[in-house]
């Protein structure tokens, strides 16, 4: 297979990504209402949620691809795992940073030691350590094998971490109510919901696009790094 | 391949070997103890802790010193196998490799547990908290059980990297965070006079950690040590 040639499906995905992301920008700027109490800064919320969602999805994909590597022992799976986790980390950092931008005017501080913020930061640290681990390993095979095990372990601990937050008090807003709240489960107007779902979709497409590009880069690097060792 | 020794016998042999090495060399437990005490003194000045330490702070201090000190023991436990290529010998032994994990994890648990059991009365001496209580001992052992299982698993990962000794804390602390939170909260609860039933959700979290990380060892240890 000629890896160097860019697949036409990827080109289509690139175009789709640009279209969807611009559409979401237009939606958030002009379509959604300005939140009554918080004002325009609330609009960062659409990107915040979507980035957090993308990060989670990406980390799960990274673990699944890791399991794929352990089953098949093909480096392609490892490239996918690495690509997902790298893009996931960027998304998680976007979620944290956009959250901080929102928190500054609303909570009057960039950072609070709220459990949900803290655990998201810890999640970012867990995946930063993934790159430190890979950096210390000298063969592509060891990077793939141990990276896969670590990616799976990391995904398994994240729910434990989130459960441990639930036991704390949290001041982080709960957008999607669990259990018997009154009325709709979403605490938003229909327009806000539309923009949110559009943004979730757009970020998912962006994620797929970025992961694919990063995957291709890793695939192109693989034969090179084998020569190096 | 059919294992020629029974699974439990293999675990016991590895555990016994580690205890023997520790008993003859005494290079793990004493080092961890001294280190843990150093941390207690360091924190005492760094955080300007008052002599009438509150229960919450005492629980936190206990776990920070235990978590840091355990890292030394975990690193020591695995680098012991690296010296003279002892690990190759273990890998050649005709047994399931996850038995190596359980043997090493049990050994690490025993040593850090011992350190914890010595630390509790020492804490009670330095601070006006009686820490030597049965519920606290139980919480401590559960927490250390989960922590050392994860630590043993990750030490086998980190030993293969060029940056081996430095890598373990970076891998271990973020992943162990839910365990440490649960352990600190359960300890704090017990120290402020709550019963074990009152902190049951934290206890369940610790049990979940023990289950999860030991299942991880059972599933992945073979893969991690593969050459």
């Amino acid at each position: 297979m000629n890896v160097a040639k860019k697949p036409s499906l990827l080109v289509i995905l690139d175009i789709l990504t640009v279209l969807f992301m611009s559409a979401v920008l237009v939606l958030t700027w002009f379509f959604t209402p300005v939140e009554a109490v918080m004002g325009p800064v609330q609009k960062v919320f659409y990107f915040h949620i979507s980035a957090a969602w993308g990060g989670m999805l990406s980390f799960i994909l990274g673990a699944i691809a890791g399991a794929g590597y352990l089953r098949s022992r093909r480096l392609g799976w490892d490239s996918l795992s690495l690509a997902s986790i790298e893009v996931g980390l960027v998304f998680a950092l976007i979620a944290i940073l956009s959250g901080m931008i929102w928190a500054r005017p609303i909570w009057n501080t960039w950072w609070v030691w709220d459990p949900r913020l803290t655990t998201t930061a810890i999640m970012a640290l867990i995946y930063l350590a993934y790159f430190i681990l890979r950096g210390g390993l000298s063969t592509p095979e060891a990077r793939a094998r141990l990276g896969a095990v670590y990616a799976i372990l990391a995904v398994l601990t994240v729910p434990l971490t989130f459960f441990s937050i639930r036991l704390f008090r949290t001041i982080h807003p709960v957008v999607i109510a669990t259990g018997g709240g009154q009325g709709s489960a979403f605490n938003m107007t229909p327009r806000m919901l539309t923009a949110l779902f559009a943004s979730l979709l757009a970020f998912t497409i962006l994620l797929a696009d970025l992961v694919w590009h990063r995957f291709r880069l890793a695939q192109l690097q693989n034969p090179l790094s084998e020569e190096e060792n | 391949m059919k294992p020629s020794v029974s699974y439990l016998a293999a675990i016991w042999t590895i555990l016994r070997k580690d205890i023997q090495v520790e008993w003859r060399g005494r290079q793990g437990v004493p080092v961890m103890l001294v280190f843990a005490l150093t941390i207690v003194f360091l924190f005492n000045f760094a955080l300007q802790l008052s002599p009438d330490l509150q229960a919450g702070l005492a629980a936190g201090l206990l776990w920070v010193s235990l978590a840091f000190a355990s890292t030394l023991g975990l690193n020591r436990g695995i680098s012991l196998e690296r010296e003279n290529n002892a690990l190759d010998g273990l890998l050649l032994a005709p047994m399931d490799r996850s038995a190596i994990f359980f043997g090493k994890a049990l050994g690490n648990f025993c040593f850090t547990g011992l350190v914890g059991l010595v630390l509790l009365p020492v804490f009670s001496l330095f601070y006006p908290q009686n820490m030597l209580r049965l519920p606290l001992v139980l919480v401590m052992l559960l927490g250390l059980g989960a922590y050392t299982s994860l630590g043993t698993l990750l030490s086998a990962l980190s030993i293969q990297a060029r940056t081996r000794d430095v890598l373990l804390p970076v891998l271990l602390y973020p992943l162990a965070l839910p365990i440490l939170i649960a352990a600190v909260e359960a300890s704090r609860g017990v120290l402020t006079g709550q019963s074990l039933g009152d902190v049951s959700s934290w206890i369940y979290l610790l049990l979940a950690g023990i289950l999860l990380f030991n299942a991880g060892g059972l599933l992945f240890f073979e893969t991690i040590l593969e050459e």
Side-chain angles (χ1 to χ4, degrees):
Chain A
M1 187 184 70
N2 183 8
V3 213
K5 190 171 181 309
K6 191 172 172 180
S8 49
L9 205 60
L10 184 55
V11 178
I12 299 173
L13 195 62
D14 283 348
I15 298 167
L16 272 180
T17 307
V18 173
L19 285 178
F20 270 84
M21 288 307 286
S22 337
V24 164
L25 271 185
V26 172
L27 274 183
T28 24
W29 284 339
F30 304 112
F31 177 72
T32 58
V34 174
E35 213 272 344
V37 186
M38 296 186 239
V41 73
Q42 180 267 340
K43 293 193 178 198
V44 83
F45 154 88
Y46 304 105
F47 300 99
H48 175 66
I49 298 271
S50 309
W53 150 258
M56 290 293 216
L57 193 69
S58 200
F59 290 145
I60 293 170
L61 183 65
I64 293 172
Y69 172 78
L70 291 181
R71 277 186 77 92
S72 70
R73 301 290 165 147
R74 290 173 51 174
L75 278 181
W77 281 111
D78 178 57
S79 303
L80 180 59
S81 184
L82 171 66
S84 311
I85 289 173
E86 198 171 299
V87 176
L89 185 58
V90 174
F91 273 51
L93 292 177
I94 292 175
I96 292 173
L97 288 178
S98 57
M100 288 170 90
I101 292 171
W102 174 84
R104 177 72 185 132
I106 303 301
W107 290 340
N108 201 27
T109 170
W110 292 108
W111 186 261
V112 286
W113 285 98
D114 169 78
R116 179 151 1 183
L117 275 71
T118 313
T119 41
T120 313
I122 290 290
M123 190 172 76
L125 280 177
I126 288 177
Y127 284 100
L128 271 174
Y130 171 83
F131 294 99
I132 299 175
L133 170 68
R134 287 185 76 105
L137 297 167
S138 41
T139 65
E141 189 274 333
R143 276 196 289 269
R145 179 164 48 86
L146 300 182
V149 171
Y150 185 83
I152 295 169
L153 268 183
V155 151
L156 292 179
T157 23
V158 167
L160 266 194
T161 315
F162 273 78
F163 180 69
S164 68
I165 326 158
R166 286 275 161 174
L167 290 171
F168 275 114
R169 275 175 299 128
T170 177
I171 64 167
H172 189 284
V174 177
V175 179
I176 301 160
T178 47
Q182 73 276 19
S184 158
F186 292 93
N187 199 6
M188 278 175 282
T189 69
R191 283 190 163 207
M192 286 177 169
L193 263 186
T194 313
L196 175 63
F197 281 116
S199 175
L200 284 173
L201 178 66
F203 266 73
T204 310
I205 294 171
L206 173 69
L207 178 77
D209 191 57
L210 289 177
V211 169
W212 194 343
H213 276 288
R214 183 63 186 87
F215 168 74
R216 266 175 43 85
L217 181 62
Q219 285 289 76
L220 291 168
Q221 277 171 335
N222 272 340
L224 293 179
S225 58
E226 261 161 44
E227 278 162 29
E228 173 189 305
N229 284 289
Chain B
M1 183 178 63
K2 193 178 179 334
S4 59
V5 271
S6 91
Y7 199 71
L8 286 178
I11 295 176
W12 168 240
T13 308
I14 290 166
L15 175 61
R16 207 186 48 193
K17 171 202 70 102
D18 274 359
I19 292 176
Q20 214 161 49
V21 169
E22 178 60 32
W23 179 252
R24 293 188 183 157
R26 297 198 181 84
Q27 287 175 317
V29 174
V31 178
M32 282 194 267
L33 254 178
V34 172
F35 187 59
L37 283 177
T38 314
I39 294 171
V40 172
F41 277 89
L42 185 68
F43 268 78
N44 192 57
F45 293 111
L47 303 180
Q48 298 190 324
L49 300 177
S50 60
D52 49 332
L53 190 68
Q54 288 151 0
L57 282 176
L61 193 53
L62 174 72
W63 279 103
V64 167
S65 52
L66 271 179
F68 285 178
S70 304
T71 323
L72 294 187
L74 290 165
N75 260 330
R76 164 97 193 127
I78 199 77
S79 54
L80 209 62
E81 305 297 347
R82 252 191 98 87
E83 285 166 22
N84 308 321
N85 295 324
L87 193 59
D88 292 341
L90 273 184
L91 294 178
L92 283 173
M95 59 185 181
D96 198 304
R97 283 182 184 169
S98 57
I100 305 177
F101 167 76
F102 288 116
K104 296 300 291 182
L106 271 175
N108 284 328
F109 172 66
C110 290
F111 301 143
T112 49
L114 195 61
V115 171
L117 286 179
V118 178
L119 270 187
L120 290 184
V122 171
F123 262 79
S124 318
L125 271 179
F126 284 146
Y127 299 107
Q129 286 275 345
N130 180 17
M131 308 268 283
L132 206 57
R133 308 181 201 178
L134 193 59
L136 185 63
V137 171
L138 222 92
V139 166
M140 191 188 73
L141 292 182
L142 280 177
L144 283 178
Y147 189 73
T148 50
S149 313
L150 177 64
T152 308
L153 195 56
L154 291 175
S155 69
L157 274 176
S158 66
I159 197 72
Q160 302 185 40
R162 284 187 297 264
T163 42
R164 50 187 77 94
D165 295 349
V166 214
L167 188 57
L168 181 62
V170 179
L171 298 182
L172 177 58
Y173 297 153
L175 282 181
L177 192 86
I179 297 305
L180 291 177
I181 292 177
V184 169
E185 289 299 311
S187 308
R188 178 179 301 162
V190 167
L191 278 177
T192 50
Q194 287 175 306
S195 72
L196 279 178
D198 294 331
V199 293
S200 61
S201 31
W202 298 114
I203 304 275
Y204 289 139
L205 195 63
L206 291 179
L207 287 172
I210 292 179
L211 266 176
L212 181 69
F213 300 137
N214 280 293
L218 185 63
L219 284 174
F220 293 132
F221 208 65
E222 167 113 46
T223 316
I224 293 173
L225 287 183
E226 188 176 284
E227 293 291 330

